[in-house]
Amino acid sequence: MSRQLALGLALQPALSFDSFIPGPNGEALDAVRRLAAGGGEPYLYLWGSAGVGKSHLLQAACAAAHAPERPVAYLPLAQALSFGPELLQDLETMALVCLDDLQCLAGQAHWEEALFALYNRMREVDAGLLVSADRPLAQLPTRLPDLASRLAWGPSYQLQPLPDAELLPALTRLAAERGLRLPAESAQYILRRCPRDLGYLQGLLERLDRASLAAQRRLTLPFVREQLRRLE
């Protein structure tokens, strides 16, 4: 996983397939699982708003696919852009490449040309490519027509937010996976006061976990209320 390390990154262990709560995104999850296992479609495009789980699925795919004989690469393009398009060279030697936030390079000629060349090289060796963006392919400001054509060859999945009815059990489950007991009243308070985005909520639980350990207190409503005030 040399390319993620070159960016000073490491995959987050908590972002696995088991910890992904699919809700209405079960079909996309199944497709990404098959790709990570070396089967199914060799190219997938995921899109949706912030917080619906795109980065989670990309990192989970890398974690599931990686083995000594199957190197992988995860590149968050918002950070990779400062390294230049040469970062995409030789990635066809990876069994799976995951490119996060494709919209960041759309419209940049050198990056588009490098991605087009990478796509062609990866098809020649049957390597897997998983891409995410914040919008559907038709709305990407892509300037290179051949790249737009290549990106449309594989299935595209829109990731949807969890319905309100599933957020409370999802938050409780995420807390339990961290070994935390989150009372229903505390969970409901969090959902009333905080963004309903699982990425944000996972980060919040991490902060609450640290705070509860430091204070030797449980996640009671008064304690959670106090901690959220400090974040405002």
Side-chain angles (χ1 to χ4, degrees), residues 96-131:
L96 176 66
V97 174
C98 294
L99 303 178
D100 213 351
D101 288 328
L102 185 68
Q103 73 278 355
C104 292
L105 65 75
Q108 301 193 44
H110 294 310
W111 274 97
E112 288 193 6
E113 290 164 5
L115 179 56
F116 175 69
L118 171 63
Y119 188 98
N120 290 334
R121 297 194 306 271
M122 294 190 71
R123 283 187 65 87
E124 289 176 3
V125 297
D126 294 322
L129 182 63
L130 178 58
V131 178

Side-chain angles (χ1 to χ4, degrees), residues 8 18 34 37 42 52 80-81 128 139 171 181:
D18 288 342
R34 289 193 297 271
V52 293
L81 290 183
Q139 293 180 16
L171 181 59
R181 182 183 176 279

Side-chain angles (χ1 to χ4, degrees), residues 2-201:
S2 59
R3 293 307 167 94
Q4 77 183 45
L5 297 176
L7 293 173
L9 299 170
L11 296 178
Q12 299 179 50
L15 301 184
S16 67
F17 285 138
D18 288 342
S19 66
F20 183 78
I21 300 173
N25 302 310
E27 186 178 351
L29 173 60
D30 290 343
V32 175
R33 278 187 184 273
R34 289 193 297 271
L35 174 59
E41 295 286 345
Y43 165 70
L44 297 175
Y45 182 86
L46 308 179
W47 66 277
S49 58
V52 293
K54 302 185 299 293
S55 297
H56 189 143
L57 279 181
L58 266 63
Q59 292 206 33
C62 279
H66 180 58
E69 70 281 3
R70 298 191 76 224
V72 299
Y74 168 75
L75 294 183
L77 293 173
Q79 299 176 48
L81 290 183
S82 60
F83 287 79
E86 59 274 11
L87 198 63
L88 301 183
Q89 291 176 1
D90 303 322
L91 283 182
E92 69 277 5
T93 61
M94 304 288 170
L96 176 66
V97 174
C98 294
L99 303 178
D100 213 351
D101 288 328
L102 185 68
Q103 73 278 355
C104 292
L105 65 75
Q108 301 193 44
H110 294 310
W111 274 97
E112 288 193 6
E113 290 164 5
L115 179 56
F116 175 69
L118 171 63
Y119 188 98
N120 290 334
R121 297 194 306 271
M122 294 190 71
R123 283 187 65 87
E124 289 176 3
V125 297
D126 294 322
L129 182 63
L130 178 58
V131 178
S132 82
D134 65 354
R135 66 200 76 181
L137 276 169
Q139 293 180 16
L140 281 178
T142 311
R143 295 184 179 181
L144 187 63
D146 286 342
L147 174 60
S149 173
R150 293 292 191 277
L151 294 176
W153 280 1
S156 173
Y157 295 94
Q158 179 183 9
L159 298 189
Q160 304 282 353
L162 282 182
D164 285 353
E166 295 185 34
L167 272 171
L168 182 61
L171 181 59
T172 305
R173 171 184 157 180
L174 289 172
E177 287 172 352
R178 300 188 65 87
L180 298 172
R181 182 183 176 279
L182 184 66
E185 60 178 0
S186 298
Q188 290 164 351
Y189 182 83
I190 289 171
L191 292 177
R192 288 197 301 270
R193 297 293 190 279
C194 299
R196 298 188 164 203
D197 131 12
L198 286 181
Y200 176 88
L201 293 173

